[in-house]
Amino acid sequence: MDSVFFIKLLQFILSISLLVLLHEGGHFFFSKLFGVRVNRFYIFFNPKFHLFSTYDKWFRKLTKRTPVEVPVKVEKDAEGNEVRSKEYVGTEYGIGWVPLGGYCDIDGMIDETTQELSDDVKPWEFRSKPVWQRLLIITGGVLVNFLLALFIYSMVLYAWGESYIETKNMTNGMKFNTEAKKLGFKDGDILLGTDKNTFKQFGIDLYRNLSEAKRVDIIREGKEMSLDLPGKLNLLDMLKTQPTFVAPLIPCVVDSVLPETPAASIGMAKGDKIVAINGKEVDSWNEFTLAISQLNDVVTAKGTHEDSIKGRSLSLAFSHQATGAVDTVPVMLDQEMKLGVVQQSPWSIYKPTEVSYGFFESFPAGIRYGLNILRGYVDDLKYVFTSDGAKSLGGFGTIGNLFPATWDWMQFWSMTAFLSIILAFMNILPIPALDGGHMVFLLYEMFTGRKPSVRFLVVAQYIGMGIILLLMVVANLNDILRWMGLM
């Protein structure tokens, strides 16, 4: 198994397991607090069988509650599913074998673990409790995920601080695509901010800001000036076009040369500068990357061995740092269309801003950071309902690829916090089968004094599960199509 895949997989499973444990733990905590029986509490799903399970005799003894009955024998039905007696009054804690989630089976509640409900309501059932208690039980998981995200962000800032390059300090400016230049941008413009706020660093927030702004402030050739913007640019279009709407302009200077590569074979060295490809001048890594990408598209489209050889063969002009002399030489890229050089990055050119936080300072900073992440995510949600937005959906593969290729605790915890805050938001959406759907029905009961019928709740649950499964199929199908190169 590829080591990168294995490392990403481990991080994904560890992160999801932690988030599911604490999310379901939120439901579990309030259920126990209000005397609602929890039949089963499982990490991972357990169709057909489980890896481990135990019962909570120890919990009852510790809290001096009525001893539980001895659990009955676990049997299986004709389809091989586990069947347990409804007389058992304790909680079964277990670990399933499908590491994609978990569940908290709350007695008397209509959810994905729905059991048959009798007309005789028992005092330990979810449905017997006041609405406000049921609301806390339902929202317990979301509340835990949201607070967990803010806590993790705070601790990340406390442990590692912040390190970023301010856009105003990127003295080489930015590289813009054709659509941006139609709005008045020029290569080399240094971005300062918009009528909405000042730019902090280059990233998705900068893109969002530009997409909504009606004025952008820049430095051009040493002078501050402003450009008018429409205020309604499509964020997905800005990101998906190649080249993208805007990117840091990085001079085409070689940071290092990898051994036994095409670049090494023609004598390139650290500090050399690429000046032209096939006679066409390039002024940045942005243009170099675009040129190679276009050659790769041609090779991929034709597909023959001869076309591959022809597409990978090019004339490269580069200047030597030591002498200033310019060499124009033929070179053949490798099978992956790589030259074998490491590009300069903004971090190797500009001095980053370093910010550290004390323990108590980290909490307001972490809360601000987390709320900004949530605000941006909610704002971007409108694009999901477009054709391009649907194509951008990703499943487990996409989420797993968000983790770094090497084990980095700062990135791991930052990614876990991001997933936690997204999990909280997605679960609060008013879709039946999600916590938000249950919350809507409870609020309806609270304000009208009428409970939705059991039949209605069951039907709504199935509809909600259908919507969720459909979204999962689309998201994971997108992953498969991307892997096959069809999207």
Side-chain angles (χ1 to χ4, degrees), residues 339-386:
L339 179 60
V341 296
V342 177
Q343 304 176 8
Q344 279 190 322
S345 73
W347 294 90
S348 64
I349 302 173
Y350 307 114
K351 182 179 180 180
T353 299
E354 306 281 353
V355 182
S356 59
Y357 296 91
F359 182 75
F360 294 106
E361 293 174 318
S362 68
F363 287 99
I367 291 171
R368 286 194 300 270
Y369 189 90
L371 291 177
N372 183 60
I373 293 289
L374 178 61
R375 186 162 44 246
Y377 183 82
V378 173
D379 185 59
D380 295 344
L381 197 64
K382 59 179 177 285
Y383 294 106
V384 172
F385 302 102
T386 66

Side-chain angles (χ1 to χ4, degrees), residues 79-100:
E79 298 178 353
N81 297 311
E82 294 179 352
V83 178
R84 289 169 175 76
S85 167
K86 301 301 179 183
E87 297 301 317
Y88 177 64
V89 299
T91 299
E92 177 190 351
Y93 303 89
I95 300 175
W97 60 275
V98 182
L100 298 177

